[in-house]
Amino acid sequence: MRMLELWKRAPITWSHVAPPLENGTFGCSEWRHVEKPQCYCVLFVGYTNIWLSSFLADCLYSVKDLPIRPSYVLLASVTKMKLILSSIVNGCRYGKLIEVGRNGSKSVDIPGCLLYTRTGSVPHLTHDTLSLIEGVPEPVHLTLSTVAEHHEVLEEYKEGIGKFIGMPESILYCSLHDPASPCPSGYNTNKTVSVWGGGGRIEITLSKFMAMQQAFKPDWYQSMADGEPLPPGASRKRVKKSVDRTLGFLDGCLKEHQNSEVLKNSEILGVIEGGDILEERLRSVRETMKRPVGGFLLDGFQADDMPDDPKLNLIASVTGELPEDKPRLIHGIGKPDEVLECVSRGVDLFEGFFPYVMTEQGRALTFKFKYKVDPEGEEQKDLVGPLHQVQDQQLISAYNTMTIEQCEGNHIYSMLEQSGCGDNEISNKASDKGGKTVPFTIDLKSEQYRADFRPLLEDCSCYCCKNHTRAYLYHLLTTNELLAGVLLMIHNQHHYFGFFQSIRDAVRDDKMHQLKELIIKQKLQQ
Amino acid sequence: MSPAPGPGAPSASASASAPLRVVSRRECPVSRARLLQLELPHGELQTPVFMPVGTQGTLKGIAVRQLEALGCSILLGNTYHLGARPGPELISKANGLHGFMNWKRALLTDSGGFQMVSLVELAEVTEQGVRFSSPYDGKEILLTPEKSIEIQNALGSDIMMQLDDVVSSTVSGPRVEEAMYRSIRWLDRCIAANKNPEQQNLFAIIQGGLDAELRKKCLTEMIKRDVSGFAIGGLSGGEEKDNFWRMVTLSTEYLPREKPRYLMGVGYATDLVVCVALGCDMFDCVFPTRTARFGSALVPWGSLQLKNRQYAKDFKPIDEDCDCPTCKRYTRAYLHALFRNDTAALHHITIHNIAYQLNLMCSIRESIRQGQFPVFIQQFMKRMYGSKEQYPCWAVEALSTVNVQLE
């Protein structure tokens, strides 16, 4: 058949594609219905070449009696990595990304976070101090903000940025912006985006962007995108423009990606824009889904100025439309409560910058995330830490057993404070520098820790807690010693990765409700 | 100058119950270099040794686990800084400086004298002690020998230094003599004030500036005192090298051979090698760690200023022959790129520089053990300077006085 011959000459990988049957129809791996039942979306798994879409669409159109129209032909790229979803419970996804990386030998647990870096280094940490941390996640997060200025060096180096930064075995994800640095808006154009590096603004064209990716050789990278933070109530015109630009950039990136030998094992992530306008968000989703991307990045949710409910609703709407079999990343979300809300709304991967931001403020993460109640009856000492000075045991057990609403209604919190309960999570005084309290953390610059010889967090097994005390950290911070950043970073990372393990356990065991309650309780304590 | 006699037999130190025991001593047959095995309350120590400086109860940016992995056996802490923050009472509560910073090996603390003179604008020295205004809270403080020892007792270091009357080596005249005699009197007060003689050693500090006569008087007096070791002080303060080495040699000539000699403030590689040959055992200096934080990496042929653009595309490690954690994984180009952006760059270079210093001392010890120290010196100088014309004159001269003729 003519069709079969055309097919054979197409530049696709046979093993991934069902060839046409003798009668001219296609046996496909997956069918997906869209609105009009008499039309079918044909999902071809295995295409790498975007032009094949129109070629194939023409082929299909020319075959008689096939009820397929070109506009419904969807393409999936040869995504080497696969998302295996073990379960979806109450909107929370649990599973693994497998066959990740250049060798296809790594896997990434979902939900999960990335290992945040600046210029390819976990802040303050060398390889040896990083090795002291348990549960370090697989994907290393690089940002163009912090590495773009070294593009020329990497081009000459030729061996890829992984080896350059001393992480030759790691999975690398490259995003545009650094979540811990401000990103002024108003600089993106139809042809360029700007990132803010150490030396100032760097303007990037599409070809420069792709040249960088080819020099860096990441395993995943986000497509170039117009993701400038837009103020709430930004004009529809501006929002629409960012969606259009991003799609244009995506097509441009894909074109070069597919011609690139160097990037053939890399995945490109499509970027969902759309500000706070639902229609634009959905449009961005639907259009991006048509392209052969390896996953999706939910962009534009970084800023704090979008109120929680609308933000979360938008996220839910976006993930509701996205295909289940591809990972969803979100930028800019790191606080424990926000992470849980996003996991419940179908987000898979988060940036890991929150521990760093807290470290820079001299804060240690101390929130509890062990939601399990020990059935053996061991005293549940976690909610109210080491109770050195507590007299009123009844008060404490009331606190431990009541829900948040009950505690508030019965004035438990204020009674605990008055009883002089020494644990800092409850009676966390503001630091003597007058800084505001931040939930989930303690401020180690606060004078109250000067002679506190306990570890940062009782029961924490990290290097810092096993070897050093709050008093020592207080001393290091007040004398501006570099070691403060090193030790805090070790503890905070260790803690945060433990939190994500707890999220995975909770999703798997359908205990997200308990975990959320535990976290919210601690957020409200401040 | 008479050469040191042949290898000595293992000897006992002053008294068996002293908290420092010289387990063995081996001497270079050519120069005055020695290899000592010391036993201190917190562990064993081999000299010659370089002691990194952990001023405020931390080596800047480096965790104690990393220092142990590098083979560091002794650190230095500063009484002046720690006495102010966090203060001796708090450190006592934390089980001494060892407990506070969780360093399990040996610690040496200085007396606070040097910082007072170098860091404090208006310090007034009297027979009683040194009076100055604290830079932290403006309060008037009087640091006496008794007070210094009291703080060091609280710190619990294995080796304490006497409070000495420190005078800059560029000063001359009667002030130098006054300071020398006062240092002797303060030594006696320090010995009397030590509340922990079973657990903490006290070292004397030889003063006398650049005046041979004064030095000799000081030596004669101080070696009569029952201390575990002697430091050579008042040098490495900007004086001419020609004067410097002569005072070192004079000191090692008269100091007892069975006790360790600590040359304070010396840390440049060449100075270390020469002063080991002149008979010194212990050294400290902020230079290697401080210069690291300015981007300068130490190598056997000098140093690399990694901030310079020439390293932007240099894909070699700092030193191809170095097996420290930094050189095994990172290139000069990466360190150059990282330097402006993250503190981790400082830590990488600090680790390398400490490894460099410790490896240097290890090589020195090994060559003394094998009786090959003069050969080592030859190789070291060649590598560092290239050819004899480049060798610093003072080094050539100093070495020749201990029978090492450089070719």
Side-chain angles (χ1 to χ4, degrees):
Chain A
M1 291 190 64
R2 182 176 168 272
M3 178 62 81
L4 199 53
E5 274 157 21
L6 284 168
W7 184 278
K8 276 183 181 162
R9 275 191 246 144
I12 51 179
T13 319
W14 277 106
S15 59
H16 292 281
V17 177
L21 305 173
E22 277 176 4
N23 59 10
T25 59
F26 286 80
C28 298
S29 56
E30 213 180 301
W31 292 87
R32 187 184 286 211
H33 276 267
V34 290
E35 289 144 26
K36 300 178 192 174
Q38 66 269 30
C39 300
Y40 293 95
C41 285
V42 175
L43 203 72
F44 294 98
V45 178
Y47 285 100
T48 52
N49 191 325
I50 197 169
W51 294 300
L52 200 56
S53 65
S54 40
F55 156 74
L56 201 60
D58 290 340
C59 296
L60 294 173
Y61 210 74
S62 70
V63 172
K64 267 190 186 177
D65 301 327
L66 261 183
I68 294 172
R69 299 213 197 101
S71 57
Y72 289 113
V73 175
L74 294 179
L75 298 172
S77 64
V78 180
T79 55
K80 285 199 71 190
M81 68 179 179
K82 295 183 179 45
L83 175 59
I84 310 288
L85 276 180
S86 307
S87 62
I88 305 180
V89 180
N90 293 329
C92 306
R93 293 148 54 90
Y94 176 79
K96 256 181 163 41
L97 273 170
I98 61 169
E99 294 176 27
V100 186
R102 277 141 277 162
N103 299 329
S105 58
K106 301 241 177 179
S107 66
V108 178
D109 291 325
I110 277 170
C113 73
L114 309 173
L115 182 64
Y116 173 69
T117 67
R118 299 172 73 82
T119 315
S121 172
V122 179
H124 304 301
L125 301 184
T126 65
H127 177 82
D128 290 343
T129 42
L130 183 63
S131 309
L132 296 171
I133 304 175
E134 280 170 31
V136 175
E138 271 297 348
V140 172
H141 178 197
L142 293 162
T143 62
L144 283 187
S145 307
T146 63
V147 302
E149 63 197 282
H150 306 294
H151 172 210
E152 266 183 44
V153 176
L154 266 305
E155 273 192 336
E156 212 170 294
Y157 184 65
K158 294 183 177 43
E159 296 185 71
I161 200 165
K163 188 158 175 220
F164 187 65
I165 64 176
M167 301 191 193
E169 306 297 316
S170 299
I171 306 289
L172 305 171
Y173 163 61
C174 186
S175 71
L176 266 173
H177 298 292
D178 171 30
S181 304
C183 177
S185 32
Y187 292 89
N188 290 350
T189 69
N190 287 338
K191 290 196 160 39
T192 66
V193 300
S194 289
V195 297
W196 297 81
R201 184 167 76 93
I202 303 173
E203 193 165 62
I204 306 180
T205 59
L206 194 86
S207 57
K208 189 165 176 189
F209 179 87
M210 289 309 293
M212 286 184 190
Q213 302 301 343
Q214 297 193 76
F216 298 155
K217 303 192 235 269
D219 297 281
W220 309 336
Y221 62 101
Q222 72 160 96
S223 154
M224 188 158 138
D226 177 12
E228 274 180 359
L230 300 174
S235 76
R236 200 191 180 101
K237 193 170 155 196
R238 177 65 186 93
V239 173
K240 181 175 186 302
K241 205 194 300 195
S242 87
V243 174
D244 291 335
R245 278 180 183 165
T246 300
L247 288 166
F249 291 149
L250 174 58
D251 287 338
C253 288
L254 279 168
K255 193 164 168 181
E256 287 214 35
H257 181 107
Q258 285 160 348
N259 284 333
S260 165
E261 183 61 30
V262 151
L263 290 174
K264 73 171 188 235
N265 290 330
S266 304
E267 302 284 1
I268 189 168
L269 303 185
V271 184
I272 309 300
E273 298 290 350
D276 57 359
I277 300 175
L278 178 63
E279 290 81 12
E280 286 300 310
R281 285 277 172 193
L282 295 178
R283 183 169 76 93
S284 179
V285 167
R286 289 177 190 136
E287 287 301 316
T288 308
M289 275 172 64
K290 293 181 185 170
R291 276 78 170 167
V293 294
F296 300 92
L297 167 61
L298 278 68
D299 201 12
F301 293 106
Q302 291 89 323
D304 273 336
D305 48 10
M306 209 193 289
D308 283 349
D309 282 343
K311 186 198 265 195
L312 295 173
N313 289 339
L314 265 179
I315 291 173
S317 303
V318 167
T319 58
E321 292 283 319
L322 287 171
E324 279 183 4
D325 62 345
K326 289 189 183 165
R328 302 94 173 262
L329 268 87
I330 193 164
H331 278 182
I333 302 286
K335 294 181 194 146
D337 52 322
E338 291 180 358
V339 167
L340 292 179
E341 294 298 341
C342 289
V343 169
S344 305
R345 287 165 176 78
V347 178
D348 300 329
L349 289 168
F350 299 80
E351 293 177 312
F353 64 100
F354 182 69
Y356 166 68
V357 175
M358 292 299 106
T359 298
E360 295 306 284
Q361 294 179 16
R363 295 183 172 276
L365 299 185
T366 50
F367 63 94
K368 308 290 181 192
F369 49 75
K370 293 195 167 79
Y371 58 87
K372 291 181 187 157
V373 178
D374 191 332
E376 299 294 298
E378 195 188 284
E379 197 184 299
Q380 190 187 353
K381 47 186 180 16
D382 50 8
L383 281 180
V384 187
L387 305 174
H388 300 294
Q389 297 111 16
V390 171
Q391 269 99 49
D392 198 338
Q393 289 299 327
Q394 276 186 325
L395 199 53
I396 297 305
S397 59
Y399 172 84
N400 280 342
T401 52
M402 287 180 181
T403 64
I404 299 168
E405 296 74 32
Q406 287 172 319
C407 279
E408 290 195 282
N410 289 292
H411 308 291
I412 298 290
Y413 295 125
S414 46
M415 281 199 278
L416 279 167
E417 278 199 40
Q418 281 165 19
S419 81
C421 181
D423 186 79
N424 295 297
E425 284 148 43
I426 295 174
S427 57
N428 205 346
K429 307 182 198 82
S431 81
D432 55 353
K433 299 204 197 310
K436 60 178 165 57
T437 56
V438 172
F440 313 118
T441 66
I442 54 174
D443 176 7
L444 283 162
K445 300 184 302 300
S446 171
E447 180 112 27
Q448 64 185 295
Y449 300 113
R450 191 178 168 271
D452 187 341
F453 295 110
R454 295 177 287 177
L456 293 187
L457 188 61
E458 217 78 44
D459 296 338
C460 176
S461 59
C462 84
Y463 172 82
C464 179
C465 289
K466 286 235 162 322
N467 287 282
H468 296 293
T469 62
R470 295 172 176 192
Y472 188 56
L473 262 302
Y474 172 85
H475 167 71
L476 294 176
L477 284 163
T478 50
T479 54
N480 282 318
E481 280 287 342
L482 288 168
L483 189 62
V486 177
L487 293 178
L488 274 178
M489 198 61 181
I490 289 174
H491 168 79
N492 287 342
Q493 297 267 65
H494 184 105
H495 193 83
Y496 201 62
F497 301 150
F499 170 55
F500 269 87
Q501 184 58 51
S502 182
I503 297 179
R504 288 191 286 275
D505 292 345
V507 172
R508 180 196 64 211
D509 300 341
D510 194 14
K511 296 269 194 263
M512 269 296 268
H513 182 70
Q514 280 93 321
L515 180 56
K516 270 193 198 173
E517 253 210 32
L518 177 58
I519 295 294
I520 301 288
K521 210 169 195 170
Q522 294 172 88
K523 180 178 177 186
L524 297 177
Q525 276 168 9
Q526 302 302 317
Chain B
M1 313 268 180
S2 51
S11 65
S13 61
S15 72
S17 67
L20 183 152
R21 194 166 78 86
V22 180
V23 175
S24 68
R25 185 178 89 228
R26 191 188 169 91
E27 293 177 352
C28 171
V30 175
S31 68
R32 287 191 191 173
R34 308 115 59 73
L35 182 72
L36 302 184
Q37 179 94 0
L38 303 179
E39 216 174 73
L40 289 166
H42 285 88
E44 295 201 340
L45 190 59
Q46 282 191 20
T47 73
V49 69
F50 176 76
M51 303 182 284
V53 180
T55 307
Q56 302 198 95
T58 156
L59 207 100
K60 295 198 185 319
I62 308 297
V64 294
R65 175 78 58 91
Q66 293 173 285
L67 288 171
E68 285 165 10
L70 286 173
C72 179
S73 43
I74 180 169
L75 288 177
L76 199 131
N78 289 103
T79 296
Y80 172 77
H81 295 89
L82 292 169
R85 302 185 297 185
E89 297 83 11
L90 191 87
I91 293 195
S92 275
K93 278 194 212 155
N95 290 323
L97 185 55
H98 284 93
F100 188 60
M101 61 184 286
N102 201 21
W103 173 250
K104 299 189 164 54
R105 299 179 181 178
L107 279 172
L108 183 149
T109 47
D110 70 341
S111 62
F114 179 72
Q115 276 78 35
M116 280 184 321
V117 167
S118 61
L119 296 180
V120 179
E121 284 275 313
L122 301 163
E124 191 203 340
V125 182
T126 65
E127 186 59 29
Q128 217 189 344
V130 184
R131 188 181 302 281
F132 62 102
S133 303
S134 162
Y136 302 112
D137 57 12
K139 273 198 305 210
E140 262 234 337
I141 302 185
L142 175 64
L143 187 67
T144 61
E146 290 75 18
K147 185 73 188 165
S148 173
I149 295 301
E150 185 188 317
I151 298 174
Q152 293 185 74
N153 279 151
L155 297 177
S157 47
D158 300 74
I159 300 173
M160 306 185 291
M161 303 307 297
Q162 70 155 113
L163 182 66
D164 49 345
D165 186 357
V166 179
V167 167
S168 163
S169 54
T170 52
V171 169
S172 55
R175 175 72 185 105
V176 182
E177 185 168 355
E178 178 195 48
M180 184 273 283
Y181 281 115
R182 180 170 290 140
S183 295
I184 300 172
R185 294 191 291 275
W186 281 4
L187 172 59
D188 289 335
R189 285 166 63 182
C190 285
I191 294 172
N194 184 5
K195 292 198 166 47
N196 214 359
E198 310 284 306
Q199 287 296 309
Q200 292 183 268
N201 295 287
L202 182 66
F203 277 22
I205 306 181
I206 312 294
Q207 294 291 351
L210 300 176
D211 185 320
E213 283 307 311
L214 290 178
R215 282 258 164 202
K216 238 188 116 194
K217 282 192 186 142
C218 196
L219 279 158
T220 315
E221 280 306 311
M222 285 193 170
I223 59 183
K224 292 179 189 167
R225 273 69 176 172
D226 180 20
V227 289
S228 318
F230 296 91
I232 303 166
L235 298 177
S236 78
E239 70 280 350
E240 291 290 331
K241 278 295 208 288
D242 282 329
N243 300 324
F244 159 77
W245 75 261
R246 286 183 164 82
M247 292 300 105
V248 174
T249 303
L250 177 65
S251 306
T252 58
E253 182 148 350
Y254 288 95
L255 284 172
R257 280 158 60 191
E258 67 274 10
K259 292 186 181 175
R261 297 101 170 248
Y262 166 25
L263 181 56
M264 306 183 83
V266 167
Y268 292 161
T270 304
D271 300 359
L272 289 173
V273 172
V274 173
C275 292
V276 167
L278 297 183
C280 298
D281 308 312
M282 299 164 66
F283 305 87
D284 83 285
C285 193
V286 293
F287 167 71
T289 41
R290 179 175 290 169
T291 206
R293 296 193 299 278
F294 287 96
S296 178
L298 301 177
V299 288
W301 61 95
S303 65
L304 311 179
Q305 307 310 317
L306 292 172
K307 284 196 294 189
N308 288 358
R309 283 194 62 81
Q310 71 181 99
Y311 296 108
K313 294 180 182 173
D314 188 338
F315 302 125
K316 297 188 292 295
I318 292 172
D319 179 2
E320 276 163 339
D321 296 324
C322 177
D323 60 5
C324 81
T326 303
C327 291
K328 284 208 289 234
R329 191 172 279 269
Y330 304 98
T331 60
R332 300 169 183 186
Y334 180 59
L335 295 171
H336 173 87
L338 190 60
F339 196 78
R340 273 168 294 151
N341 286 12
D342 194 75
T343 66
L346 310 184
H347 309 328
H348 289 308
I349 305 176
T350 301
I351 288 282
H352 168 81
N353 283 5
I354 294 175
Y356 172 77
Q357 298 284 113
L358 298 181
N359 284 339
L360 176 64
M361 302 314 284
C362 191
S363 304
I364 290 175
R365 289 194 296 270
E366 195 49 40
S367 69
I368 299 174
R369 191 192 325 276
Q370 293 174 5
Q372 295 290 305
F373 186 49
V375 175
F376 173 86
I377 301 178
Q378 196 68 84
Q379 290 169 341
F380 170 85
M381 296 295 280
K382 185 100 195 291
R383 189 92 207 271
M384 182 64 78
Y385 297 102
S387 64
K388 191 168 178 203
E389 295 77 51
Q390 309 288 332
Y391 295 177
C393 298
W394 73 269
V396 176
E397 213 184 324
L399 287 167
S400 69
T401 64
V402 289
N403 304 308
V404 178
Q405 308 298 341
L406 290 174
E407 282 132 43

